[in-house]
Amino acid sequence: MFNNANTVDVPPSTCLRDLRPPVTIFKPSMWGHTFASFSLDHQVQETYEKTIEAIKKETEIEEKLEQIYKEDEEFDLFTTALRFRLLRQHRHQVSCGVFDKFTNKDNKLEESLIGNNVEGLLSLYEAAHVRTRGEDILEEAVAFTKHHMTRHMLSSQLLESPLKDKVKRALEHSLHRGVPIIEARAYISIYGKDDSRDEIILKLAKLNFNYLQNMYKEELSELYRWIECYMWGVAFHFEPQYSYVRNAVAKAMQMVSILDDTYDNYATLNEAQLFTDVLERWDMNEIGQLPDYMKVVYPFIMSVYEVYEREATQQGKSYAIYI
């Protein structure tokens, strides 16, 4: 499902329901056993954690967000859009009406105020991706900012790094549509080139990334055969406290991948129907009816659910199995 593959034709069958699909031969994962022998240095992790917490207290990030939320001042486009996006991403209610001052009498974005302000355009573009239904000014802002940033990328010789790097990446996809930890890693490199960078914030970002990277490696040492599936878990919840969630998502995606391949790449119609019937009965005693290759798949599917049930019960959430 996730790897490059070749197909091999199979001999034709006289019955459509017994016709087997072309056999798909998957190439081995490019990662191999890269993470199988990884051993986490807990002392290093503890040092990272203590330093991260110390910097967080020093910078007072959460307190500053509250302060920004309570501010009632006039800001330029860059600051207005950045403030809007950060507050929304941290679940504060903020109206898109803050952008009204950048519109004309027809309630359209005013080109003379915005069109040549690349920093402002980029900030507005990213802010527009945290819009909600009915926020017309932000709907317009996506196309407006994309048009003008593309124009600047094509025609302006004055657009230099790191701003040029940020615009180029934004045009590929917005921050909001990326995987947060991957976007963070890319931005660390870009921000490091910025002459106005805050060295303390940059240090915090690097330490946090290194801390998470070590945690991911440890998780992958247990799931190294399922690396592609694990990436779904990282995309879903990258934060350190969600290790269990990443593990569970990886197992679920692996199960879905195996089921998908079983139905699409191996089973005839008759075998697919039989497999569905046996799955619905959910009884290991039914395994004798299945073809040999399905006798490998069926116990795996059941074992995944057994682990879910055991872990959910331990956490006092046995109801989650039936959702």
Side-chain angles (χ1 to χ4, degrees), residues 50-318:
K50 288 180 178 179
T51 309
I52 289 168
E53 289 304 315
I55 294 176
K56 282 183 177 179
K57 289 180 180 179
E58 179 184 347
T59 54
E60 299 178 330
I61 294 175
E62 292 297 329
E63 291 80 358
K64 287 181 179 178
L65 274 173
E66 286 295 327
Q67 181 183 340
I68 290 171
Y69 179 63
K70 295 174 182 178
E71 286 177 344
D72 186 19
E73 300 179 25
E74 289 293 314
F75 301 104
D76 61 13
L77 177 62
F78 171 81
T79 307
T80 299
L82 178 61
R83 177 180 179 273
F84 176 87
R85 176 170 65 85
L86 290 177
L87 289 175
R88 280 222 171 163
Q89 287 177 330
H90 287 82
R91 301 182 181 181
H92 289 285
Q93 290 190 357
V94 54
S95 170
C96 66
V98 297
F99 296 107
D100 289 347
K101 59 188 174 184
F102 302 108
T103 60
N104 55 30
K105 61 181 181 179
D106 297 319
N107 294 321
K108 299 293 184 181
L109 291 168
E110 181 55 69
E111 298 219 14
S112 62
L113 294 176
I114 302 174
N116 294 315
N117 179 358
V118 182
E119 287 269 15
L121 284 167
L122 177 59
S123 188
L124 177 58
Y125 173 81
E126 297 291 5
H129 284 84
V130 295
R131 66 190 181 278
T132 57
R133 185 183 295 276
E135 294 182 324
D136 296 338
I137 190 172
L138 295 179
E139 289 282 354
E140 177 195 352
V142 175
F144 180 93
T145 54
K146 193 169 185 178
H147 166 74
H148 284 289
M149 287 194 297
T150 301
R151 175 172 60 85
H152 282 290
M153 285 291 290
L154 293 174
S155 62
S156 176
Q157 301 299 317
L158 300 177
L159 200 57
E160 299 179 350
S161 295
L163 179 57
K164 185 175 182 179
D165 299 331
K166 288 190 280 188
V167 171
K168 181 180 179 182
R169 188 168 183 86
L171 289 172
E172 292 173 357
H173 64 260
S174 70
L175 289 171
H176 188 63
R177 291 187 174 179
V179 176
I181 191 60
I182 294 177
E183 295 303 314
R185 176 62 187 88
Y187 194 76
I188 286 171
S189 296
I190 294 173
Y191 187 62
K193 303 174 187 176
D194 194 330
D195 293 335
S196 64
R197 65 185 177 274
D198 185 318
E199 293 293 349
I200 295 177
I201 295 297
L202 182 60
K203 180 180 179 180
L204 174 61
K206 288 180 177 180
L207 286 170
N208 188 63
F209 182 84
N210 290 340
Y211 176 80
L212 286 170
Q213 186 180 52
N214 283 339
M215 180 176 285
Y216 297 159
K217 286 180 179 178
E218 183 183 36
E219 293 167 2
L220 279 168
S221 68
E222 301 175 9
L223 301 168
Y224 68 91
R225 291 177 299 173
W226 304 350
I227 291 177
E228 293 88 348
C229 298
Y230 175 78
M231 286 302 300
W232 286 84
V234 174
F236 186 60
H237 270 310
F238 72 94
E239 299 92 338
Q241 66 268 32
Y242 294 116
S243 178
Y244 175 78
V245 176
R246 287 190 291 276
N247 185 296
V249 170
K251 290 179 180 178
M253 289 307 303
Q254 181 68 11
M255 180 177 65
V256 170
S257 175
I258 289 174
L259 281 172
D260 180 67
D261 288 341
T262 299
Y263 279 106
D264 291 348
N265 296 324
Y266 296 97
T268 65
L269 289 175
N270 282 328
E271 289 172 348
Q273 185 60 60
L274 173 62
F275 191 50
T276 301
D277 293 341
V278 171
L279 279 172
E280 289 177 348
R281 287 194 286 272
W282 204 252
D283 183 353
M284 187 61 76
N285 293 324
E286 302 280 344
I287 196 172
Q289 304 178 50
L290 297 174
D292 288 343
Y293 72 92
M294 286 184 175
K295 290 178 181 177
V296 178
V297 178
Y298 188 57
F300 171 76
I301 302 301
M302 296 195 76
S303 70
V304 170
Y305 271 91
E306 287 170 0
V307 171
Y308 280 157
E309 186 172 16
R310 182 170 63 252
E311 293 175 347
T313 301
Q314 291 171 351
Q315 297 175 29
K317 299 178 179 179
S318 56

